[in-house]
Amino acid sequence: MSVRERLPETFITRMRGQLGEETEEFLSSYEREATSGIRINTGKVTVEEATECLPFDLRPVPWTDNGFYAHPPSPSRHPWYYAGLYYIQEPSAMLPASLLPIAPGERVLDLCAAPGGKATELSSRLKGSGLLVANDVSASRAKALVKNLAVWGAANVCVTAETPERLYRAFGCFFDKILVDAPCSGEGMFRRDSSLIASWTERGPEMYAPLQKEILTCAVQMLKPDGMLLYSTCTFSEEEDEAVVADVLEHFPELSLAAPEKKAGFAPGIGLEDCVRLYPHRVEGEGHFAALLQKRMAGCADEWSENEDARRSSQRKKEKDRGIAASSADGKTGRMPEPVAAFLARISHSVRAHSERSGRDGFSVECASTVRIILETFRYVQIGEQCLLVPPVDLPAGLRYLRTGLRIGSLERGRFAPSQELAMRLDASCFDTVLDLRADDERVLRYLKGETLALEEADRRSGDWVLVCVDGHGLGWGKYGNGSLKNKYYPGWRLQ
């Protein structure tokens, strides 16, 4: 039975009311194959370089500058995927992050972030500065979020697994920009995942709308004055879309609906024309809805100015009491142990040398710039053997943090071992000992499988760390000895 034949009659009837004479074209779209796409990581590679080098048939997605339809649909097999140079994402799902204007240095919240498609893009646009809090109420889903952000090379990030209410109580009015891609009935994804049809018959729009209003209410209260919030779903239901937006506009008069720039395929909202709808018969993609809201200088402005200093002071005391304040192995707060400092100095020296060459060697100027921001502004924190560089932002205690900042490695018995996450933030210009392999080199696949590699280079120092790269972009670490490279690629990520 085809997807169209499985569509519930109540769903079809409602869509006839929405689309009128377009209904047949809409229903016919369920007989076509779903599209696939990739989004380029502009923090590591330029769009021009990616489109020139990747062996796919790439066509631009209209609503984002770095998104492409990819054919044939097998981008998960290319080494650049494992280097975090692009993210595999359904084209319509690229809409929410593309509509939320992000500037470097801002504080951004992705409230329902797993598995990470939106969060990775928001992180890129912060360019290593500011802070991204990526949250998902499900800790199991948030684990995929942690990995995807690590592969992406995101450093100015903390990942939490909390309810919106607990985040609001902890952060208060804190964020410049918020993205809420809310749980929904999933009507827009019926073609891509037909199992959602059975779920829809059991839990339709009437089950999700109250939850969406609750989530959005908490989100609005975490938004600073003059901030912007993007609400989105992957459903066609007016009850979950425009009705939810209308409800929050009624309850928060300081909010207004902003009009995003119109792109090809955008349909207006129902009754709220500045909302955006994507229908699968009008675009190459699945169904989506988005509304961009702006908060005027009202509401929490006074609370923010009066309570910010007290909040930060209380936070520092709580962190100290819980033993999470920055500390080093010798027990002196904030002091970086010599082995860690020496390793980071190698990165810093390489980045400075690269910056002086102004990127003429072909590597990403953006990558080197982000690494400099991390090394020069992030705080060193050590928890047990784990060494981290964390964004210079005071975070509230008492939340479930799954990741904070960039885990740079571990220190055990005076020896520092760099982390997989650190390798994903670097390229060949950022380290002084590199094994740079072409994407078509069979050793790349062997490395990703965890195999030891034979090396012909005679100038390696025995026991030295080597950054393994593909086409100049970090894949992981190895350790040289006796003419071979001992594989240090993270075991949990290895190809089977």
Side-chain angles (χ1 to χ4, degrees), residues 84-99:
L85 300 184
Y86 58 82
Y87 188 93
I88 300 171
Q89 190 172 27
E90 194 279 313
S92 292
M94 300 179 192
L95 177 70
S98 73
L99 294 182

Side-chain angles (χ1 to χ4, degrees), residues 393-405:
V393 179
D394 291 324
L395 296 172
L399 296 175
R400 185 175 185 180
Y401 292 100
L402 302 186
R403 173 189 167 186
T404 304

Side-chain angles (χ1 to χ4, degrees), residues 87 110-119 133-137 145 149 179 181:
Y87 188 93
D110 187 351
L111 190 53
C112 310
K118 305 171 299 297
V133 176
N135 177 76
D136 200 277
V137 68
L145 174 62
L149 286 167
L179 195 153
D181 190 38

